[in-house]
Structures are given as structure tokens and as C-alpha cells.
Amino acid sequence: MKTFLPLIVILLGVLQPLSGALAPALGIGTPIGNATRDMTLPEQPLPAFFSIWSVIFLAYLLFGISYWRAREPWMERIAVPLAWAGAFNIVWMISAQLIASQPLDFLLLFPIAIAVWTAAFRMDRLRETGWSPKKALADLTAAMLSGWITVAIAISVPLTLRSFSSLGATDFPWQMLWITLVTASISAWMFARYFSRSWWYFIALGWGMIGIVLNNWYVTEMNWLAIISAAVLTLILCLRLFRGADGSVIPA
């Protein structure tokens, strides 16, 4: 396993974007995002903001290549949970296209989150051992994917609730938005308090929340929802900036 782990990470780095393009490329199943496209959901980012996946996939693949070229002892501890995160991500993408069950897709997000938050935690513990470009790349990969998975879970809670009811896209917009914002806020606090001090998490989370702000300002035209979303994002970033983060090192 240790011998082939770098190649497994590289393979997963290639398969993740390919598996996400399964439906549009082969005409099998439903393309990811089609179920919510044009529904003017108040808690959803604009479709363009999902382009962050390309940055995450590239960082993931580059980490795999750097691990394959020069295997430093610390890299295995990060590569193992990242490999699990990549594998679960492929399962999620295939499920979202071929099965398209919102409750199942929601549940499948949690193994990804557990694996990648573990990678971010382990990466944070390595901060005291010095900095290197490879460690910076590993930090970017783990923390950015952790932040975006937080966004995915937060926006999936209202979707899942709607799937068990007759609620429409614009029913209870305030309540649905607040569910997303509270989920994201609590997750951000937990990540900074117990898992990692990386700013990449907040960059990815902030990117998704900016997408929600712009969606409500320009698409749903519920401007107060956009203002509240912007205020919550500002509060999250200010708390991180001025209160700091403990990450994997909990003070006595």
C-alpha cells in the first residue's frame, strides 16, 4: 500500500474530474447540478462559483505528483486521508449522476468531510516542523477541500429537508438560508478551534458564501438575504482574523 500510495493519489486526482463529467460526456444519468439549476434557491451559490472544484482538483493532483517524485516521511500521513477523501468524492459524484437521490448524496458528503478534515488536522500538526513548498501545497489541498465540503454540506441541508416535504424552492427562504448560514458558521468555528489554522479553509468557505450573496442579489432579487449573508461572512472572517485559531494545538 505504501509503495503504491503516491500512484493511487495521482489516479484519484485524475478520476475525480473525469467522474464528475460522466453524465455530460457519455449521456448517462443526470449531470451534477441539473437538479437545482434555475430553481432560484436562496441558499445556493451562483453556478460559476462551483468552478473552485477545478482549483481543488489541480492542487490534489499536484500533491500526488510531488509525493510520487520525492516521498518525505510526513507525506504519507496526509496522503492516506486525502486518498480516502478522493475515493469518497468519486462515489459521491457517480451517485449524484446515476442515482440522483438527495438524501443519499447528502449522507455521502460526510465521509469526504471526515477524511479531508483529518488530513487538514494532520497537516496543521506539521506546522511546527517547518515550512516547505510541498507542505504549503498539502495545506492548500486539504484546507481548501475542507472549506468547500463545508459549503456543500451547508447548502445541502435545505435541499434534503425539501426532499422529505412538499416545500418549493422559494418556500421559507429566510429559514432555509439561516439553516445554511448557521451550519457554515458552526463548522468554521469547529475547524478553526479544533482542526486547523489554515486560511485556505476560509478562502474556500468565503468563496461559496460570496456566491450565495450574489445569487440573492442578482438572481432571487431577495436583497435582504444577500445583505444578511454578507454580514454573516464578514463576522466569520473577523472572528478568524481578530480571535485567531487554535487548530490542532489546544492551549492548556
Side-chain angles (χ1 to χ4, degrees), residues 40-171:
T40 63
L41 298 167
E43 74 280 355
Q44 292 288 307
L46 289 174
F49 281 76
F50 289 88
S51 62
I52 194 175
W53 275 117
S54 61
V55 178
I56 294 171
F57 290 150
L58 178 60
Y60 191 104
L61 180 60
L62 290 177
F63 171 74
I65 294 172
S66 68
Y67 182 27
W68 174 63
R69 293 185 62 185
R71 304 182 189 184
E72 299 179 16
W74 62 269
M75 299 181 83
E76 182 186 340
R77 286 184 51 78
I78 310 302
V80 170
L82 278 182
W84 280 111
F88 286 128
N89 200 21
I90 291 172
V91 172
W92 178 85
M93 289 183 179
I94 293 175
S95 172
Q97 294 171 92
L98 300 186
I99 301 176
S101 168
Q102 177 54 43
L104 177 59
D105 293 343
F106 178 63
L107 291 175
L108 289 175
L109 289 172
F110 287 92
I112 305 173
I114 292 169
V116 77
W117 278 40
T118 299
F121 176 83
R122 292 181 178 182
M123 191 62 238
D124 193 70
R125 294 184 68 88
L126 293 170
R127 288 178 181 272
E128 315 305 325
T129 64
W131 183 92
S132 70
K134 291 179 182 178
K135 288 182 179 178
L137 177 60
D139 180 47
L140 183 155
T141 305
M144 184 167 282
L145 180 53
S146 295
W148 190 247
I149 285 299
T150 296
V151 174
I153 290 174
I155 65 179
S156 294
V157 177
L159 287 174
T160 305
L161 291 175
R162 290 190 191 95
S163 71
F164 288 110
S165 68
S166 59
L167 294 175
T170 56
D171 291 335

Side-chain angles (χ1 to χ4, degrees), residues 181 209 212-213 224-236:
L181 296 179
M209 293 186 68
I212 294 174
V213 171
W224 275 109
L225 272 67
I227 293 170
I228 291 299
S229 300
V232 171
L233 173 59
T234 301
L235 178 61
I236 290 173

Side-chain angles (χ1 to χ4, degrees), residues 176-244:
M176 293 301 182
L177 178 65
W178 272 115
I179 288 172
T180 295
L181 296 179
V182 169
T183 301
S185 300
I186 293 175
S187 299
W189 172 79
M190 289 179 60
F191 188 84
R193 180 67 176 84
Y194 298 110
F195 287 85
S196 173
R197 291 159 282 181
S198 177
W199 269 99
W200 287 114
Y201 175 91
F202 289 88
I203 290 172
L205 178 68
W207 175 258
M209 293 186 68
I210 290 172
I212 294 174
V213 171
L214 295 179
N215 178 57
N216 282 307
W217 192 267
Y218 291 110
V219 178
T220 71
E221 296 185 346
M222 292 185 275
N223 293 347
W224 275 109
L225 272 67
I227 293 170
I228 291 299
S229 300
V232 171
L233 173 59
T234 301
L235 178 61
I236 290 173
L237 295 179
C238 285
L239 287 173
R240 173 63 182 86
L241 180 63
F242 297 111
R243 296 291 297 273

